[in-house]
Amino acid sequence: MDYEAVIGLEVHAQLRTATKAFCRCSTQYGAAPNTNVCPVCLGHPGALPVLNRAVVEMTLRMGLATGCQIRPRSRFARKNYFYPDLPKGYQISQYDDPICYAGALEIELEDGSTKRIGITRIHMEEDAGKSIHDMDIETLVDLNRCGVPLIEIVSEPDIRSPREAVLYVQAIRQIVMYLGICDGNMEEGSLRCDANVSVRPRGASTFGTKTEVKNLNSFRNIEKALAYEIERHIAVLERGGTIEQETRMWDAAAQRTRPMRTKEFAHDYRYFPEPDLVPVVVSAEWIERVRSELPELPLARKRRLQQQYGLPAYDAGVLVAERPIADYFERTCQHLIEPSPERFKLVSNWIMTEVLRVLGERKIGIEDFPIGAEHLAELVELQAAQTISSRIAKELFAELLVQPSSPKALVAERGMVQVSDTALIEQLVERALSENPDTIAKWRSGKTNVLGFLVGQVMKYSDGKANPALVRQLLLERLGSPDAVPR
Ligand code: ADP
Ligand code: MG
Ligand code: ZN
């Protein structure tokens, strides 16, 4: 039988607030264990939570960016469960009436088409602490993360393959980073994903029983865990079995999912309205203010870069992946004195290859990149006008990395201008031929690879300043067609 997968994701994103959701403790990652804590986030009796306004602001940003409806009045609920890293014995979350609901996200598939993934809800909640199990005999508990604000973004079961699931989470990650509400760092757990998956005969109108896979902290793991789980479901069904509704975890070392616990149901958590917090009331003015301040989102920006600058889809995708990179691209283009699609493409090439390489090697962001947009623009213009060869452009780039300065000024100062003077290059061509008398004979006998060698010689005589295309052309004219090559 031919099966189809059905996937719905629950993505948790840690909000980049300075302080926790309900107390004034710092949210700083990596602080000494159990130092960012207070009676509120430790759940001491009588300590009362107060909602951090920034949590609502950031949640509204995400809700509006994904076309959600906003509830003017929503409330918090207690989700009760026991775990050593949950000192209160409950998590403050939202259950009925979450603040955002009924939105959608457009993802772009590999073939360039788009697909709409429904967003059921986005709600606010607090994170739990961290249990560290890597000691032989003990479990250590760090409560710094207790009370750090999260949003949970729940998708409709609209996703149909592991690849689509990855594209969806990538889109979420880009959006939260564009909105400045989450750092998107999956390794540090700032963005986490639980995946719900079921299979059904292709064409069926009802869903199969789902399992939920926890602990997915990278795109690779999301894709592999889902592929594994889909195969497993199909195998069980094929041999006449039934899928157990359960919670499983991805074991990356063994490359398989394992059962964690039988499925919990909402009633197991004894949800009830949080009595210590008043309802969250969001005015129409607040919503409109946040809406008006939303930045252009990644997919829209990608489309615009393709249109406005004539960039290929691939380039636009690479550039918009991080907002500061796309900003740098556009700033550089604005500095071009003679803007043109060729020059925009050159800017894009420089950024996609050299700039991103340096950022990766130095592990820095574009804000710490030493070559300013105006200087990259100058470099591109010198190159586009063929004032300098691409080899010299590369050399200058390497120099600017060490010592910021104006490439135009450097070129003028040092006479690095590319030589396109035919008469001068002809002289150098003659010299190359007379110093290498055997090459003409080789060329005649069909050893056409001597051409590259001769171009190299001329470039050397000119200190790399000759226009290589012109050198090649003049050499070819002088050598004529090789005899061994049939005409
Ligand atoms: P639960 O109460 O078990 O958490 P929900 O109905 O709240 O289940 O859905 C949780 C997530 O599971 C959502 O992202 C939803 O899209 C997804 N989901 C629900 N039913 C299925 C199904 N049959 N197959 C795959 N995903 C599903
Ligand atoms: Mg769930
Ligand atoms: Zn605290």
Side-chain angles (χ1 to χ4, degrees):
M1 199 180 317
D2 187 20
Y3 290 91
E4 170 182 66
V6 172
I7 298 166
L9 300 179
E10 296 162 89
V11 176
H12 289 90
Q14 213 172 72
L15 297 178
R16 281 180 58 189
T17 53
T19 57
K20 294 185 180 180
F22 305 109
C23 62
R24 294 177 184 192
C25 292
S26 162
T27 55
Q28 171 116 51
Y29 181 84
N34 300 307
T35 53
N36 291 338
V37 290
C38 76
V40 174
C41 54
L42 291 176
H44 289 185
L48 289 173
V50 176
L51 176 59
N52 181 345
R53 193 180 171 85
V55 172
V56 182
E57 170 91 15
M58 291 184 180
T59 308
L60 287 178
R61 250 183 248 171
M62 187 60 181
L64 293 171
T66 51
C68 284
Q69 303 294 310
I70 307 295
R71 262 199 188 81
R73 189 184 170 91
S74 69
R75 55 183 185 176
F76 285 101
R78 286 189 183 179
K79 181 179 181 179
N80 299 280
Y81 64 95
F82 170 78
Y83 210 74
D85 59 22
L86 190 74
K88 290 203 297 287
Y90 60 86
Q91 177 192 27
I92 303 180
S93 181
Q94 292 196 294
Y95 182 55
D96 294 328
D97 306 335
I99 183 164
C100 310
Y101 63 100
L105 191 73
E106 279 218 336
I107 59 170
E108 192 175 35
L109 305 179
E110 258 108 12
D111 64 3
S113 65
T114 52
K115 175 167 176 175
R116 182 182 180 280
I117 309 292
I119 290 183
T120 315
R121 56 187 281 160
I122 301 176
H123 68 249
M124 305 176 278
E125 59 184 30
E126 59 176 341
D127 212 341
K130 238 189 242 173
S131 296
I132 301 149
H133 300 290
D134 56 9
M135 304 295 285
D136 285 341
I137 39 165
E138 311 176 285
T139 290
L140 302 176
V141 178
D142 177 4
L143 298 177
N144 283 347
R145 209 176 62 182
C146 278
V148 167
L150 301 174
I151 49 174
E152 179 173 336
I153 305 152
V154 182
S155 87
E156 290 288 301
D158 288 344
I159 299 164
R160 291 290 173 271
S161 70
R163 194 65 214 142
E164 274 181 30
V166 168
L167 292 171
Y168 169 82
V169 181
Q170 282 174 342
I172 295 258
R173 178 167 179 272
Q174 281 187 356
I175 292 173
V176 293
M177 291 171 71
Y178 262 61
L179 298 173
I181 64 173
C182 173
D183 66 24
N185 190 330
M186 296 179 84
E187 265 164 51
E188 290 177 4
S190 308
L191 196 82
R192 316 195 280 270
C193 172
D194 299 339
N196 299 268
V197 55
S198 62
V199 301
R200 62 178 176 183
R202 196 173 293 281
S205 57
T206 53
F207 291 146
T209 304
K210 71 175 163 90
T211 53
E212 179 173 354
V213 188
K214 299 260 183 200
N215 194 25
L216 299 174
N217 58 359
S218 72
F219 296 121
R220 245 178 108 75
N221 287 345
I222 292 169
E223 190 156 11
K224 287 187 157 181
L226 281 170
Y228 179 90
E229 202 52 16
I230 291 165
E231 285 298 306
R232 192 182 69 80
H233 282 214
I234 293 173
V236 169
L237 296 177
E238 283 288 291
R239 54 167 195 268
T242 49
I243 294 295
E244 200 61 48
Q245 174 151 334
E246 65 186 354
T247 303
R248 300 174 70 91
M249 65 171 288
W250 174 241
D251 181 342
Q255 293 287 296
R256 53 167 297 187
T257 63
R258 297 180 186 288
M260 212 163 115
R261 55 179 186 242
T262 54
K263 171 68 192 159
E264 72 285 356
F265 292 93
H267 61 245
D268 295 326
Y269 289 116
R270 295 291 185 271
Y271 279 102
F272 64 83
E274 166 60 63
D276 289 344
L277 286 163
V278 293
V280 182
V281 175
V282 183
S283 67
E285 294 76 54
W286 192 358
I287 294 172
E288 287 322 308
R289 204 254 300 140
V290 172
R291 199 196 302 278
S292 71
E293 288 171 6
L294 287 181
E296 184 181 28
L297 294 174
L299 193 53
R301 190 169 199 183
K302 178 180 175 196
R303 294 277 148 75
R304 183 173 61 76
L305 291 195
Q306 285 178 252
Q307 278 236 320
Q308 185 177 337
Y309 299 93
L311 291 182
Y314 176 80
D315 292 46
V318 172
L319 296 173
V320 304
E322 286 175 56
R323 188 175 166 186
I325 300 288
D327 290 345
Y328 181 73
F329 168 78
E330 295 209 82
R331 267 204 317 280
T332 305
C333 290
Q334 274 156 20
H335 277 101
L336 292 172
I337 296 163
E338 288 179 58
S340 71
E342 290 79 10
R343 293 177 189 204
F344 300 147
K345 176 65 177 129
L346 273 176
V347 173
S348 162
N349 289 350
W350 276 103
I351 295 177
M352 291 199 306
T353 55
E354 300 302 306
V355 176
L356 289 181
R357 176 181 58 76
V358 172
L359 297 185
E361 280 169 9
R362 299 190 178 180
K363 295 193 169 53
I364 55 170
I366 192 77
E367 57 290 347
D368 296 319
F369 185 66
I371 304 179
E374 71 280 22
H375 290 161
L376 185 62
E378 282 184 16
L379 195 65
V380 163
E381 298 218 284
L382 290 165
Q383 197 186 347
Q386 302 210 356
T387 310
I388 58 172
S389 65
S390 56
R391 217 202 70 199
I392 298 230
K394 281 231 166 82
E395 281 175 22
L396 275 175
F397 182 88
E399 225 184 298
L400 297 178
L401 284 177
V402 184
Q403 176 77 55
S405 102
S406 154
K408 265 191 189 149
L410 281 181
V411 164
E413 194 178 297
R414 297 188 196 158
M416 289 163 114
V417 173
Q418 171 165 280
V419 175
S420 293
D421 174 342
T422 312
L424 181 68
I425 295 177
E426 270 170 353
Q427 283 176 19
L428 300 180
V429 163
E430 288 312 321
R431 181 174 157 201
L433 291 175
S434 64
E435 285 183 11
N436 300 282
D438 50 329
T439 52
I440 298 184
K442 282 189 183 160
W443 173 263
R444 294 253 157 79
S445 68
K447 296 210 171 66
T448 49
N449 56 354
V450 296
L451 183 64
F453 167 75
L454 291 172
V455 171
Q457 292 302 103
V458 175
M459 293 306 292
K460 208 161 84 185
Y461 302 151
S462 73
D463 284 330
K465 288 182 208 162
N467 175 339
L470 190 56
V471 171
R472 215 183 124 80
Q473 185 200 324
L474 294 176
L475 269 167
L476 276 172
E477 278 169 17
R478 179 66 175 69
L479 288 165
S481 296
D483 293 337
V485 176
R487 299 189 186 203

